[in-house]
Amino acid sequence: MPDAKPSNPSTSAPQSSPDASPPRPPNFIEQIVEADNRPGPSGAPRWGVWTRDDAGPVDAPGPAGDAARARLGKPRVHTRFPPEPNGYLHIGHAKSITLNHGLAAKYNGRFNLRFDDTNPAKEEREFVEAIKSDLLWLGADFNPETGANAGGVFWASDYFAQMYEWAEELVRKGRAYVCSLTADEVSKRRGTPQVPATSPDRDRPIEDSIRLLREMRDGKHPDGAYTLRAKIDLASPNFNLRDPVLYRISHAEHHNTGRKWCIYPMYDWAHGFEDSIEGITHSICTLEFENHRPLYDWFIDSVNVGRHGGPALRAGLSTASTPAPGPDAPPSWGPRIHHAQQIEFAKGSLTYLVTSKRLFLRLVREGLVRGWDDPRMPTVAGFRRRGYTAAAIRDFWTEVGVTKTESLIDYSRLENTLRDHLNKQTPRRMGVLRPLKVTIENYPDGGPEGKTEHVELVNNPENPAAGMRTAPFGRTLYIERDDFMEDPPKKFFRLAPGAEVRLRGAYWIRCERVVKDAAGDVTELICTYDPQTAGGESPPPDAEGKVRKVKATLHWVSAAHAVPAEVRLFDRLFNAEEPGKRTGEPADDLNPNSLEIIERAMLEPAVLEDLLDYAARATDLRSLRSKSVPPTDGPTSSDAEPAPFNPATIAGITWPDAIPRYQFERLGYFALDPDTDLAAPTPRLVFNRTATLKDEWAKQAAKG
RNA sequence: UGGGGAUUGGUGUAACGGUAGCACGAGUGACUCUGACUCACUUAGUCUAGGUUCGAAUCCUAGAUCCCCAGCCA
């Protein structure tokens, strides 16, 4: 394979594009990381170095162990992706994953998957499994046994007890209090930018607050009766600091902790501690949390009041290096806890799509799409099913870069990155979407079905090593309806009455006559072929030395050997550049023609042969079965861990996710859909069109 | 109205007081057994107004525009 050239064996990051693009300058976050990694005034990197305690499986064999050993003594870089399991991941999340996992890979750090499950009302098990599966597909391995940069899977709910202790600590330090206001009252008393908020219970005695907090925890009070609030600044122009709620009462069943808790921490209270406990160094989030950073800092600082130890100590880790408080030290709450640095970056929006979980939920529930993984959905699962490659999505976000500038990116940029990848990799095959029958009247008759020749075709012109295949050719063929025009405009150089074209790899044919049905529609073309053009070669020069030329080469399928398949064609889900801009409701801009199903496309037989061959030796049949992804929302009963994706070689190309992909010549890139059933007596093939090829003719035709 | 961010060709991004560059797109042409790919050329930008400086996208002042914040969501 030509792309097997030596490609940067030093990094363990998932390698993407086959050819190396010019090196990008480091983005602003990488610049921060690199500055942190340089020795500071103390001679050590800002976040210290990896030790046997936190470097990962240093004694394990294999790549994960190798990476862990290589990490020892090197500057710590520890990132995380913290989704709430309340929906499927979308293309925007992929940016965060690419960034966070990419940072860990680039600096041989570690990357955690952490479920931010602090709100039992909205979270479901199904989403947990879907998110894990999406991360694995994207190449962000979180399992420390297999992923070189994996830090593990964590749950905010595992930290509830620790967070609760810190909450009591803040009360005792006079920095939090139990408030009896209702949600409505708090809202009314919030004030305005100029007018401070008011809160009647701020000066509740510490012991009262402690008692009430414990009663809240122990289920003595109904939902909404009390909250725990931080005592910060009711007049702050930053509303987040106007005594934010830390805990609310909720007698709800949590998907992880069941009925153990009836108070749940608010995101703001929980998030900084989650990073702290896990020893996250760079806590990367989106711009809207910039206003919250002072709050997170205040929480950690408040816990650290009266504590001792180095500034970069991490909770939950060995405190051996913590200097013991001296005899004259004030009462200590324990060693100081770790304080991650939050860095905010801008989300990237794409034209013609939206990333709103609320809208996704509606589309799925109302049946406007065929599930979370509908190939039209901007979910990671949707892109996967559509046939996008994880490498293309990663490369796209890397090319777009990371900044603090809000951007609206042309969707075509994502599509172009995808085409780049697919062009270099996909095997070529021929398929006809809308068959038009062609009979070659001067082609020899060799029996009931005519004579059959086997023509040789190149599998991928971009990749000579992909080799050749043969395709049967006969007297009766199908060509694409769009490749014939009875009354063509000047610039149309495909087939027309009297015109001559090449059939790829086979012969040149000339259209002699047109057969029509009663309605006047063309049903068949009667053509002749030139035996001197075998293999598609030009015929020898004529008597005057002139060589005949054709301008078009068409794809075709032998009617006697064609394999029928269902093909699903997609147009954009929304037909407005910014859905919802017009009316405020994105659903108003839904494209009613976003899905077109071709029930009986005709494919060259090599496709079925490839797939049967793969099915016979496949260990990972996810892409060949319809049960691979839950088709609708709603909880599933299965608690099974999503299996890692096993690479599979299909038609000579190895796909990390085992999804068979092709370029059907001149039509675009296609991926096998899980609705496919190869085990049926008559195999059922279903393909999704991932993307079209660029089409100069369509552009011209549109111009008129 | 208060606070927090942002602003460089059509799009995305770089330049960190010293030649405004890169990628994608678009246009033109070449090549072509995919109207694909590839190749060549072209196109077009520092939000505005002042100031500092030998020199400003970069520093200062004033303004404009856009995004975020008054959930017991995250």
Side-chain angles (χ1 to χ4, degrees):
Chain A
M1 278 167 56
D3 61 352
K5 70 189 168 202
S7 66
N8 202 359
S10 64
T11 65
S12 51
Q15 287 302 305
S16 325
S17 57
D19 49 356
S21 34
R24 295 187 61 82
N27 64 46
F28 84 100
I29 295 179
E30 291 168 328
Q31 289 179 31
I32 292 171
V33 170
E34 286 171 20
D36 288 347
N37 286 353
R38 284 191 285 271
S42 67
R46 177 174 177 194
W47 302 106
V49 295
W50 295 104
T51 67
R52 294 189 73 87
D53 285 337
D54 58 14
V58 291
D59 297 318
D66 291 343
R69 285 185 290 278
R71 199 136 58 215
L72 287 170
K74 302 278 174 32
R76 282 170 25 83
V77 175
H78 204 153
T79 59
R80 101 267 100 113
F81 176 65
E84 184 191 14
N86 69 345
Y88 276 58
L89 262 26
H90 55 64
I91 186 74
H93 292 114
K95 180 180 187 182
S96 176
I97 294 163
T98 302
L99 209 206
N100 279 295
H101 185 265
L103 245 21
K106 181 167 180 178
Y107 301 102
N108 193 22
R110 307 188 76 192
F111 165 83
N112 291 1
L113 168 60
R114 179 173 68 227
F115 287 102
D116 218 331
D117 54 346
T118 55
N119 186 357
K122 291 189 175 176
E123 295 152 13
E124 289 176 16
R125 205 82 226 184
E126 176 200 348
F127 298 133
V128 169
E129 303 314 318
I131 288 168
K132 284 182 179 174
S133 176
D134 288 346
L135 260 85
L136 291 174
W137 180 73
L138 281 167
D141 192 351
F142 44 78
N143 179 352
E145 286 168 26
T146 52
N149 300 100
V153 181
F154 299 87
W155 304 84
S157 52
D158 283 344
Y159 310 145
F160 282 172
Q162 173 68 77
M163 290 179 197
Y164 176 81
E165 278 183 43
W166 282 325
E168 281 206 7
E169 180 172 333
L170 254 66
V171 175
R172 293 205 179 282
K173 286 173 172 174
R175 289 175 174 239
Y177 61 95
V178 170
C179 176
S180 56
L181 255 25
T182 65
D184 210 33
E185 286 168 327
V186 170
S187 172
K188 280 194 185 116
R189 289 164 166 261
R190 187 85 51 187
T192 69
Q194 293 83 4
V195 180
T198 59
S199 174
D201 295 332
R202 291 195 108 207
D203 296 317
R204 189 191 293 281
I206 288 173
E207 289 311 321
D208 277 13
S209 281
I210 290 284
R211 178 180 51 79
L212 284 169
L213 177 58
R214 290 182 177 170
E215 287 175 10
M216 287 162 63
R217 177 197 61 188
D218 296 338
K220 303 264 168 62
H221 300 287
D223 287 8
Y226 293 101
T227 57
L228 182 72
R229 296 176 71 182
K231 192 169 171 180
I232 309 182
D233 179 5
L234 290 175
S236 175
N238 181 348
F239 277 74
N240 294 308
L241 300 179
R242 316 254 264 218
D243 286 13
V245 171
L246 271 30
Y247 275 91
R248 76 281 217 185
I249 301 174
S250 173
H251 294 264
E253 169 132 3
H254 187 281
H255 66 96
N256 239 0
T257 59
R259 295 268 168 201
K260 186 172 175 201
W261 292 90
C262 37
I263 58 174
Y264 290 93
M266 297 292 292
Y267 168 85
D268 279 336
W269 174 248
H271 201 82
F273 293 130
E274 295 162 14
D275 288 335
S276 179
I277 290 167
E278 292 171 23
I280 299 302
T281 56
H282 304 272
S283 172
I284 296 164
C285 64
T286 45
L287 248 27
E288 69 267 31
F289 294 103
E290 219 157 8
N291 289 333
H292 297 236
R293 187 172 2 115
L295 186 53
Y296 307 145
D297 290 344
W298 189 91
F299 289 152
I300 300 278
D301 290 347
S302 293
V303 167
N304 277 337
V305 164
R307 288 172 177 254
H308 302 270
L313 290 177
R314 274 154 280 135
L317 294 177
S318 160
T319 54
S321 58
T322 310
D328 53 345
S332 177
W333 298 95
R336 223 182 273 184
I337 65 170
H338 170 74
H339 193 157
Q341 178 185 358
Q342 171 166 304
I343 304 168
E344 306 86 8
F345 73 98
K347 291 175 182 169
S349 310
L350 286 150
T351 56
Y352 296 106
L353 59 79
V354 289
T355 48
S356 146
K357 285 182 184 173
R358 199 197 109 260
L359 180 69
F360 293 170
L361 212 50
R362 187 177 151 198
L363 295 177
V364 171
R365 294 236 159 99
E366 295 183 10
L368 297 167
V369 295
R370 298 174 161 194
W372 286 96
D373 69 335
D374 186 300
R376 292 167 292 176
M377 288 280 273
T379 52
V380 171
F383 280 112
R384 173 163 88 214
R385 187 164 182 181
R386 171 104 170 221
Y388 275 65
T389 61
I393 291 176
R394 275 189 255 118
D395 274 11
F396 165 73
W397 284 123
T398 305
E399 284 163 15
V400 160
V402 180
T403 65
K404 299 190 74 153
T405 311
E406 307 252 16
S407 57
L408 179 61
I409 305 156
D410 280 345
Y411 184 85
S412 60
R413 292 199 52 164
L414 174 57
E415 213 166 42
N416 282 321
T417 306
L418 174 81
R419 286 195 184 109
D420 253 20
H421 281 242
L422 258 21
N423 176 48
K424 285 165 190 144
Q425 297 179 81
T426 51
R428 271 55 169 176
R429 294 290 184 265
M430 292 195 290
V432 174
L433 257 25
R434 298 173 183 85
L436 174 60
K437 188 176 170 188
V438 167
T439 301
I440 305 177
E441 58 182 352
N442 63 337
Y443 192 77
D445 234 343
E449 288 190 337
K451 173 183 166 182
T452 298
E453 283 184 85
H454 293 275
V455 306
E456 279 226 286
L457 295 161
V458 172
N459 279 330
N460 185 347
E462 303 292 316
N463 178 5
M468 311 282 286
R469 71 183 187 282
T470 61
F473 180 90
R475 187 170 202 266
T476 309
L477 309 167
Y478 296 121
I479 66 163
E480 205 67 54
R481 275 206 113 81
D482 290 352
D483 283 339
F484 172 81
M485 282 183 94
E486 197 173 10
D487 188 15
K490 249 207 177 77
K491 280 184 272 183
F492 184 87
F493 41 81
R494 275 112 94 148
L495 203 54
E500 187 173 37
V501 297
R502 169 171 29 236
L503 294 179
R504 170 133 239 197
Y507 292 102
W508 294 17
I509 59 169
R510 185 181 302 278
C511 176
E512 305 291 350
R513 292 188 305 285
V514 172
V515 179
K516 296 183 181 178
D517 62 14
D521 293 326
V522 176
T523 55
E524 183 181 350
L525 305 178
I526 308 296
C527 299
T528 53
Y529 85 115
D530 179 351
Q532 296 197 93
T533 59
E537 300 296 340
S538 296
D542 62 15
E544 289 150 34
K546 282 187 83 177
V547 181
R548 230 160 75 227
K549 287 195 171 165
V550 285
K551 287 193 96 173
T553 299
L554 308 188
H555 59 274
W556 52 272
V557 170
S558 164
H561 307 85
V563 175
E566 178 179 329
V567 175
R568 298 171 184 170
L569 308 181
F570 310 105
D571 198 353
R572 42 176 62 118
L573 225 205
F574 300 93
N575 45 28
E577 204 168 281
E578 295 180 71
K581 197 178 186 186
R582 212 166 29 95
T583 63
E585 175 50 69
D588 292 343
D589 291 316
L590 276 170
N591 175 5
N593 305 314
S594 55
L595 171 65
E596 182 186 358
I597 298 178
I598 308 266
E599 304 278 1
R600 244 178 113 76
M602 292 297 178
L603 309 181
E604 68 167 280
V607 173
L608 218 209
E609 288 162 23
D610 295 337
L611 296 177
L612 289 174
D613 166 63
Y614 165 52
R617 63 192 154 76
T619 52
D620 185 352
L621 282 171
R622 233 173 310 191
S623 58
L624 304 180
R625 291 205 202 102
S626 56
K627 295 291 176 233
S628 62
V629 190
T632 56
D633 67 324
T636 51
S637 52
S638 156
D639 266 4
E641 281 293 308
F645 288 82
N646 296 316
T649 302
I650 303 134
I653 299 295
T654 302
W655 300 103
D657 53 11
I659 296 175
R661 296 173 175 89
Y662 290 104
Q663 184 197 107
F664 292 155
E665 290 206 28
R666 306 207 303 137
L667 298 173
Y669 300 100
F670 294 79
L672 196 71
D673 188 88
D675 286 345
T676 294
D677 186 356
L678 289 172
T682 310
R684 176 181 187 223
L685 297 186
V686 180
F687 278 97
N688 295 320
R689 178 151 70 186
T690 314
T692 61
L693 260 30
K694 276 208 252 172
D695 190 344
E696 190 64 28
W697 163 244
K699 216 188 263 181
Q700 282 206 25
K703 275 189 206 164

